[in-house]
Amino acid sequence: MTQKSYLIFLTASLLISIGASAQATYKIKLTNLENKKGDVYIGWYTNSSDFMKPKKATIAKIVPVNGVGQVIISFEKVPAGKYAISAFLDENGDKDLNLSFFGKPTEKYGFSNEIRPTMRPAFFSEAAFEVNGKDGEMTIELK
């Protein structure tokens, strides 16, 4: 192996090992559950076309809640990157965020960055944040 090939191989190996180690633990606190019962669905998304589509979440958890005002959900080994989170409380067990006839959610929901649009859903770009390998935490107040 030539010296140039060796340096390229060494650099690539180093970058791969740095990328593999650039993982973080994130704690997401969901508040304003109002002591309701049901399952909280929380999804992490990496692009706008998948945002708020629970089956297309890059990282997802479903956590049962039973009469509490808030819950903390821990996500471990989150790879570095750009994410947006959406969460909702499924009170009736149908595994979906229910909407009124006019399209307004009838169950509690929230987004990363505390985005709260009044007449439309949040956009991925508004809710997006960076994970850079450092542990973090975030609070999302459901409304």
Side-chain angles (χ1 to χ4, degrees):
M1 183 181 295
T2 67
Q3 186 175 6
K4 185 176 180 180
S5 297
Y6 179 74
L7 286 175
I8 291 171
F9 174 77
L10 184 61
T11 303
S13 298
L14 181 61
L15 290 173
I16 289 170
S17 69
I18 289 170
S21 65
Q23 296 180 343
T25 296
Y26 254 77
K27 292 183 180 179
I28 307 299
K29 183 194 311 186
L30 298 176
T31 64
N32 197 31
L33 294 173
E34 295 182 345
N35 301 322
K36 295 187 177 191
K37 295 180 182 181
D39 291 325
V40 171
Y41 285 68
I42 184 166
W44 293 55
Y45 302 88
T46 56
N47 63 65
S48 59
S49 62
D50 293 341
F51 187 51
M52 296 190 298
K53 296 176 183 168
K55 292 181 181 176
K56 295 194 173 193
T58 301
I59 302 168
K61 283 192 179 182
I62 301 170
V63 178
V65 295
N66 187 7
V68 296
Q70 67 182 27
V71 64
I72 297 173
I73 304 167
S74 184
F75 293 86
E76 292 155 9
K77 297 183 181 178
V78 177
K82 186 176 188 177
Y83 297 93
I85 296 175
S86 73
F88 71 92
L89 174 61
D90 180 21
E91 295 178 58
N92 63 4
D94 68 354
K95 300 180 172 104
D96 202 5
L97 174 63
N98 299 127
L99 306 174
S100 72
F101 177 76
F102 299 104
K104 183 176 179 177
T106 59
E107 295 175 302
K108 292 188 155 291
Y109 65 96
F111 305 102
S112 48
N113 292 338
E114 288 298 326
I115 300 303
R116 295 185 170 276
T118 55
M119 301 301 287
R120 62 170 174 79
F123 297 132
F124 176 85
S125 59
E126 297 172 312
F129 64 99
E130 292 286 334
V131 172
N132 58 11
K134 296 179 184 174
D135 293 350
E137 54 188 54
M138 179 183 303
T139 298
I140 299 174
E141 181 180 0
L142 300 184
K143 65 175 190 172

